[in-house]
Amino acid sequence: MKGPLFYSKILLFGEYGIIKDSKGLSIPYNFYKGALKVSTDTTDEAEASNQSLQKFASYLAEIQDQGVVSFDTDRMNQDIAAGMYFDSSIPQGYGVGSSGALVAAIYDKYALEKITVLENLTRDKLLTLKKIFGLMESFFHGNSSGLDPLNSYLSLPILINSKDHIEPAGIPSQSVDHKKGAVFLLDSGIVGETAPMVSIFMENMKQEGFRNMLKNQFVKHTDACIDDFLRGDVKSLFSNIKQLSHVVLDNFKPMIPKQFHELWQKGIETNEYYLKLCGSGGGGYILGFTQDLDKAKQALKDYKLEVVYNF
């Protein structure tokens, strides 16, 4: 048995801000993917995944009582007993949605009365899916918005206007000809954990100064970046990304691995690239934006870069 493929995602803009109702823009990233499989000749990774699925199945059986979603638990438990695991190339703790893809795969295979990708996806259906996925993914993160699984399940760019207003987004088509600009992933080489980073953020939110910064600077520049990106206004986009990169460096230092503070500052000073958080931070990938990929590659030659979008 091999299930359909579910892809990783990249939240281009909106990390942390979407907790406090900023806009967000999330895109599928097809380089990494996962699928449910059953195999008898298992590896250590497959066995670990199978054990994790056993715990996840118990959790899903519990949340059914809330009446939001129900699963074919008998069939799921039979498949898990037969050795089912999630065969995935998506790195864990890297901010590209490894648990989101797993949640989407389980919902797709075992949810009863599921909302399918083929039907007319009204705003209500999208919000229902987001609520279901948030509840399911909370098993992994303690608290989840449900956006990662939603992105993985639909395999569409998603625009988050607010908590109660999300829609599939049309993003400008990529052009590789004559275009030097790019969005890229920079590998920090460290695994990040979501829960501790979110705890730091929630603790900071108790301070009025931090709340004001979030509203008047972080959310403002995030929303502007999304509007610019969707309009294809590259000049304004990079002006806003520079501001956003600066705000993050000044106010989200615990989420940026220490050895990258200087590199982050250098990008702002030289304008060769700008860095921002990819997901909750603390490790994993760092998201980069540049108007000249060759210059950025030269400036970051000691690091591994993966291009995800060309301007």
Side-chain angles (χ1 to χ4, degrees):
M1 180 191 81
K2 181 179 174 183
L5 292 172
F6 291 90
Y7 297 106
S8 54
K9 70 86 192 67
I10 293 170
L11 186 63
L12 278 186
F13 301 104
E15 69 290 342
Y16 290 107
I18 54 173
I19 297 175
K20 293 294 154 198
D21 247 11
S22 80
K23 285 187 177 183
L25 181 64
S26 184
I27 61 169
Y29 182 42
N30 297 359
F31 186 73
Y32 294 121
K33 49 195 160 296
L36 290 167
K37 282 187 184 176
V38 170
S39 172
T40 42
D41 47 338
T42 53
T43 58
D44 289 348
E45 287 89 352
E47 275 185 31
S49 170
N50 178 261
Q51 284 168 13
S52 174
L53 281 177
Q54 288 173 35
K55 293 176 190 155
F56 189 37
S58 302
Y59 169 79
L60 295 180
E62 284 169 27
I63 64 168
Q64 291 191 120
D65 298 340
Q66 297 184 29
V68 179
V69 61
S70 48
F71 301 94
D72 187 344
T73 44
D74 289 346
R75 189 161 63 93
M76 191 180 352
N77 287 326
Q78 280 166 14
D79 289 342
I80 291 168
M84 183 172 74
Y85 65 100
F86 191 56
D87 184 23
S88 169
S89 65
I90 307 169
Q92 292 188 351
Y94 262 66
V96 287
S98 54
S99 60
L102 168 58
V103 165
I106 291 286
Y107 176 83
D108 180 64
K109 191 163 180 61
Y110 300 106
L112 301 170
E113 298 175 25
K114 71 177 181 184
I115 296 169
T116 72
V117 201
L118 301 171
E119 59 196 83
N120 179 18
L121 288 167
T122 61
R123 185 167 142 187
D124 283 349
K125 283 179 185 171
L126 283 172
L127 286 172
T128 301
L129 273 174
K130 180 175 174 283
K131 184 179 179 181
I132 290 166
F133 289 148
L135 193 58
M136 289 173 71
E137 199 183 30
S138 292
F139 171 76
F140 299 99
H141 294 320
N143 193 359
S144 164
S145 68
L147 282 165
D148 287 7
L150 186 63
N151 203 296
S152 189
Y153 186 62
L154 300 179
S155 226
L156 289 169
I158 292 170
L159 172 63
I160 302 105
N161 291 298
S162 67
K163 280 195 183 85
D164 300 323
H165 185 190
I166 54 177
E167 58 188 327
I171 61 173
S173 57
Q174 297 189 60
S175 170
V176 188
D177 308 330
H178 319 301
K179 295 287 177 108
K180 293 178 171 180
V183 184
F184 58 87
L185 293 173
L186 185 146
D187 189 347
S188 72
I190 306 157
V191 172
E193 282 190 49
T194 299
M197 295 296 115
V198 173
S199 293
I200 293 169
F201 174 78
M202 291 317 235
E203 198 55 39
N204 287 342
M205 283 298 287
K206 293 175 183 172
Q207 301 162 26
E208 191 184 353
F210 188 85
R211 289 198 303 273
N212 288 338
M213 173 282 302
L214 197 79
K215 182 180 163 191
N216 300 325
Q217 296 177 55
F218 186 84
V219 170
K220 179 183 142 191
H221 294 308
T222 294
D223 288 359
C225 282
I226 291 170
D227 293 341
D228 291 340
F229 185 85
L230 293 176
R231 277 203 316 268
D233 188 342
V234 176
K235 189 180 175 193
S236 179
L237 172 67
F238 275 87
S239 165
N240 278 304
I241 287 172
K242 181 174 184 173
Q243 304 271 7
L244 185 59
S245 183
H246 216 301
V247 170
V248 172
L249 184 61
D250 289 348
N251 299 282
F252 290 80
K253 275 218 166 68
M255 288 75 168
I256 305 169
K258 280 195 175 63
Q259 58 271 45
F260 288 92
H261 290 185
E262 206 175 303
L263 202 68
W264 203 288
Q265 181 67 39
K266 194 179 159 212
I268 294 167
E269 286 169 4
T270 63
N271 298 312
E272 287 173 343
Y273 58 87
Y274 303 125
L275 301 178
K276 67 179 287 296
L277 295 173
C278 179
S280 54
Y285 285 118
I286 292 167
L287 206 49
F289 291 78
T290 180
Q291 287 185 278
D292 189 330
L293 186 58
D294 292 336
K295 272 189 187 170
K297 277 182 174 169
Q298 186 53 38
L300 300 164
K301 61 181 185 296
D302 298 335
Y303 300 89
K304 199 173 102 189
L305 264 59
E306 288 172 29
V307 174
V308 298
Y309 187 91
N310 289 98
F311 290 105

